[in-house]
Amino acid sequence: MKMWAGRLSGDVDEGLNRLNQSIGFDSRMFEEDIQGSMAHATMLGVVGVLEEEESRKIVEGLEQILQDRKEGRLAIDPQGEDIHMFVEQVLTSRLGDLGKKLHTGRSRNDQVALDVRLYLANQEEELIELVEALCACLCDLAQEHLTTVMPGYTHLQRAQPITLGHQLMAYVQMLLRDRERLQQTRERTRLSPLGSGALAGTTYPLDRQLVAEKLGLAGVTENSLDGVSDRDFVLELSADLSILMMHLSRMAEEIILWFSSEFRFMALSDRFSTGSSIMPQKKNPDIAELIRGKTARVYGHHMTLLTMMKALPLAYNKDMQEDKEAIFDIVDTVKLCLSVLPPMWNSATFYPENMRAAAAGGFINATDCADYLVKKGLPFRDAYKITGQLVALCIEKGLTLETLPLSEYQALSPLFDDGVYQAIDLLSCVSLRKVYGGPAAEAVAKQIENARRKLV
Ligand code: ARG
């Protein structure tokens, strides 16, 4: 018999049951559901809707249910409708009529909104910690590679010299923004909708603020219709995590590229690589590929959530039950991806000599060569043209700007002397770029320092 038997009678269709049930996935909010109920029952006692004794017994009963579940004495009934009904049923089976008083002044509509908020606020805390751990790992790695010269790319063509440290710190900036977004989303999530009732509030003199305080929340929602029908906090989290996955996917793509024989800037450890069932020589970056692939899955859920909410009339509609599987899977997926990245980075081997060779072979110091002539008094356009001719000459002779003899330089411009080799030295090209935010070791050290300061 359903809890809502009364208006309806008889058994419902089996198909309806299967469609209607959410206990298979909302049972992960078991603890939050009980915490919310305990705060509600306590408040009902304080404001006198329940007698103090009744309120105390309900709270104790709920605590016992929580304990029994933790200690493996209470199994969740997979035939139940949802976690809210399940807890209330267990309570009522234990306390009799008193258990039926818990739901006074409350609806499952404000109850579920509260549970999801509590659950996601906890998850957000864990996500923030994982983002911070990845930032810390990348800062440490960047510190080790302040002078590891590599080519910086535009259009995936070698462009100008940077360092591995500089490149890694670019990811830290993205992750610091992700962290800030999660923190802000968490603040908007930490509000209590209880008291909104089904949609129109309640006639009981509830103390909504007290419930929020008991739950450690920042405040209460302002409008009962909005309180039960708002899922912005779910969407904000899925948007934040979609952006975060976009960052991880770009990082994964670079790991895949750098690990390829064509680049060979790094190698993943065997612990983070997979083999092929047919090609004995293969060592594959599957983990990075999966992170890239799982980004699609997160975007898909984000689109599900947006589409689910689109055009829903106020207030609660059952469509909104669909929010849970989507956001839960997003959270699980992102946590998994975030947690494998630090050990994967930390166990990787880097090949600075390959990075440097790629930098030299890419003529990425050509701008610096032109600047050298400009400093000697030549207009930039002329310097640009001469340098272009030098690059063409190097390509023809299979040389780099570092290995081209001085006589060849001087044949194109008498302004060259052997100071040019210092000017085009890759590391000195990098160290001259000490503008705030630039790749010079001291500028990257500053970025690391600033990031670490934010992380404490
Ligand atoms: N399982 C439901 C959900 O997740 C709980 C709220 C049900 N409310 C209702 N009016 N049927 O949305």
Side-chain angles (χ1 to χ4, degrees), residues 14-72:
E14 195 31 46
L16 175 135
N17 258 345
R18 271 185 278 131
L19 195 56
N20 195 32
Q21 274 172 343
S22 55
I23 197 151
F25 46 86
D26 65 17
S27 56
R28 69 157 86 190
M29 304 188 304
F30 175 78
E31 207 168 320
E32 286 78 6
D33 191 75
I34 296 208
Q35 282 160 354
S37 289
M38 286 184 358
H40 179 67
T42 306
M43 178 275 294
L44 290 179
V46 172
V47 299
V49 171
L50 291 183
E51 282 167 23
E52 252 172 65
E53 174 75 359
E54 292 178 320
S55 156
R56 195 177 48 75
K57 281 198 173 137
I58 291 179
V59 172
E60 279 170 12
L62 289 163
E63 238 158 36
Q64 195 56 53
I65 294 175
L66 192 59
Q67 206 58 30
D68 288 351
R69 173 93 191 117
K70 274 189 183 155
E71 287 163 16

Side-chain angles (χ1 to χ4, degrees), residues 194-265:
L194 278 202
S196 301
L199 76 161
T202 173
T203 53
Y204 296 101
L206 304 188
D207 185 344
R208 298 190 57 205
Q209 196 59 47
L210 179 64
V211 172
E213 275 161 31
K214 290 249 163 265
L215 292 167
L217 297 176
V220 300
T221 55
E222 291 290 323
N223 176 292
S224 64
L225 287 170
D226 184 52
V228 290
S229 67
D230 166 33
R231 291 293 181 273
D232 287 6
F233 61 98
V234 179
L235 272 163
E236 274 192 54
L237 180 58
S238 71
D240 295 350
L241 295 180
S242 294
I243 297 174
L244 188 151
M245 283 306 287
M246 177 270 288
H247 295 150
L248 297 192
S249 166
R250 295 181 78 178
M251 182 188 287
E253 171 69 8
E254 299 213 310
I255 291 172
I256 294 162
L257 286 173
W258 294 357
F259 188 34
S260 71
S261 306
E262 282 67 19
F263 277 77
R264 255 313 168 227
F265 287 0

